[in-house]
């Protein structure tokens, strides 16, 4: 267990606010691909061709195809929240202090698991927005450049509600405020390659004076920045870690 029991007691007694950052690794055992593992999404697609605003201008058909495939994959009945998603929802419900879950993932598995204080900093796969009229709406079907906006009826302006490279991640002010005042920061299933998320550990450490914990399959790019760490599959590590924080059995 990465945190000593006496440290857990102090955090519990102080009702220390917790900020959790998750990445693609937490959804891997639900059947969704990570990005940078050998079998990951970036092994099949070139980032610059599908995950930048310029890519969407240059080849909207390819970008729509990329997200249509992933949106359809999320509707596969086999893709369900796993024990790690469920454990984090339990932590939010039972921890004596605030728990903010910030996910880089665009899947909806944290929400389905029951997490409520949740920020999708890189957007949501099952939402689209219209660049003509700013409509933001739920969307579960395929999207093409011919699809008409349900609000302004124009075509060509609808895009996935995701954050591409070079775009500002969502709700950053709220995230920075929480990082600056948390007592515990936990990073789960992320390789630590993408900023600003990769820098959260330093902000939590320096501004929040937080204890920082990494739970990942293997040491991330920022592994040495964490005070505590444990390595293994999220469905094994996260329920055990949450049980230790809540002093229950997993
Ligand atoms: C398991 C497991 C199991 C496997 N159990 N674990 C500073 C320095 C340098 C560059 C920059 C910088 N600041 C900004 C930049 C530019 C850029 C950037 O970071 N570039 C880097 C490549 C260097 N960042 C941006 O452009 C961002 N915007 C921005 O910075 O705006 C300006 C700004 C300035 C100041 C403050 C605030 C803002 C936007 C980034 C957008 C990222 N978008 C993507 C794609 C869109 C969504 C989508 O299609 O899904 O988001 S890229 C992709 O990477 C996706 C992910 O959310 C993101 C992170 O990936 P993640 O989750 O870490 O996945 P992997 O695959 O990398 O790692 C998985 C991990 O799980 C691995 O470690 C495995 O071992 C592990 N694992 N199985 C536990 N079972």
């Amino acid at each position: 267990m990465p945190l000593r029991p006496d440290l857990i007691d102090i955090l519990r007694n102080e009702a220390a606010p917790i900020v959790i950052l998750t990445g693609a690794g937490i959804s891997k055992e639900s059947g969704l691909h990570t990005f940078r593992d050998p079998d990951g999404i970036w092994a099949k697609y070139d980032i610059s061709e599908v995950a930048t605003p310029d890519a969407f201008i240059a080849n909207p058909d390819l970008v729509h195809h990329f997200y249509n495939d992933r949106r359809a994959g999320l509707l596969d009945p086999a893709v369900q929240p796993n024990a790690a998603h469920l454990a984090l929802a339990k932590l939010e419900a039972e921890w004596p202090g605030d728990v903010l879950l910030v996910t880089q993932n665009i899947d909806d598995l944290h929400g389905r698991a029951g997490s409520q204080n949740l920020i999708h900093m890189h957007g949501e796969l099952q939402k689209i927005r219209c660049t003509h009229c700013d409509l933001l709406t739920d969307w579960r079907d395929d999207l093409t450049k011919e699809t008409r906006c349900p609000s302004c009826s124009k075509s060509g302006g609808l895009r996935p509600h995701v954050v591409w490279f070079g775009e500002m991640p969502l709700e950053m002010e709220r995230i920075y405020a929480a990082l600056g005042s948390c007592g515990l920061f936990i990073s789960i299933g992320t390789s630590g390659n993408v900023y600003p998320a990769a820098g959260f550990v330093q902000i939590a450490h320096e501004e929040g004076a937080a204890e920082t914990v990494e739970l990942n399959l293997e040491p991330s790019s920022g592994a040495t920045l964490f005070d505590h760490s444990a390595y293994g599959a999220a469905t094994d590590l996260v329920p055990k870690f949450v049980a230790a924080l809540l002093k229950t059995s997993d």
Side-chain angles (χ1 to χ4, degrees):
M1 184 45 51
L3 276 187
R4 292 190 324 269
D6 59 316
L7 202 45
I8 291 176
D9 285 341
I10 293 169
L11 292 166
R12 278 183 66 81
N13 292 338
E14 290 176 347
I18 300 177
V19 176
I20 304 161
L21 172 70
T22 63
I26 197 167
S27 296
K28 171 84 176 178
E29 293 162 87
S30 292
L32 299 180
H33 287 293
T34 60
F35 292 91
R36 295 169 185 81
D37 290 315
D39 62 344
I41 292 171
W42 298 151
K44 296 182 204 96
Y45 287 90
D46 184 333
I47 297 182
S48 65
E49 291 181 358
V50 291
T52 69
D54 285 350
F56 188 54
I57 292 166
N59 194 346
D61 291 333
L62 177 64
V63 175
H64 281 313
H65 170 75
F66 175 65
Y67 286 101
N68 287 343
D69 256 14
R70 291 172 64 197
R71 198 180 298 110
L74 202 47
L75 294 174
D76 182 336
V79 175
Q80 296 292 336
N82 63 46
H85 298 104
L86 293 166
L88 296 183
K90 182 176 163 75
L91 180 63
E92 180 188 332
E94 298 182 13
W95 181 251
D98 288 343
V99 176
L100 175 65
L101 177 51
V102 180
T103 187
Q104 298 169 87
N105 300 341
I106 62 174
D107 67 57
D108 63 344
L109 296 179
H110 284 305
R112 280 201 250 163
S115 287
Q116 293 184 6
N117 198 16
L118 170 63
I119 294 177
H120 279 274
M121 67 175 288
H122 289 165
E124 294 176 66
L125 187 51
Q126 295 185 132
K127 288 190 177 164
I128 59 167
R129 63 177 192 264
C130 177
T131 54
H132 294 307
C133 72
D134 287 338
L135 173 79
L136 174 65
T137 188
D138 292 339
W139 196 264
R140 283 178 170 64
D141 300 325
D142 281 357
L143 195 61
T144 71
K145 60 179 191 286
E146 285 79 33
T147 309
R148 287 186 178 281
C149 171
S151 177
C152 71
S153 300
K154 290 184 184 164
S155 58
L158 294 172
R159 58 162 283 180
H161 182 53
V162 300
V163 177
W164 290 318
F165 284 102
E167 296 185 320
M168 184 64 84
L170 308 176
E171 300 199 53
M172 290 308 299
E173 273 184 31
R174 201 176 139 208
I175 295 171
Y176 284 139
L179 289 169
S181 59
C182 69
L184 177 61
F185 173 76
I186 312 166
S187 174
I188 303 169
T190 176
S191 63
N193 280 299
V194 174
Y195 287 83
F200 288 175
V201 56
Q202 282 158 303
I203 297 169
H205 185 73
E206 287 162 18
E207 292 179 23
E211 297 292 331
T212 58
V213 179
E214 168 163 277
L215 305 176
N216 203 42
L217 195 59
E218 59 192 11
S220 70
S221 300
T224 55
L225 301 170
F226 290 85
D227 302 315
H228 316 272
S229 54
Y231 298 107
T235 55
D236 180 40
L237 289 183
V238 179
K240 284 183 182 152
F241 186 66
V242 167
L245 287 175
L246 296 176
K247 294 194 156 189
T248 54
S249 54
D250 64 344

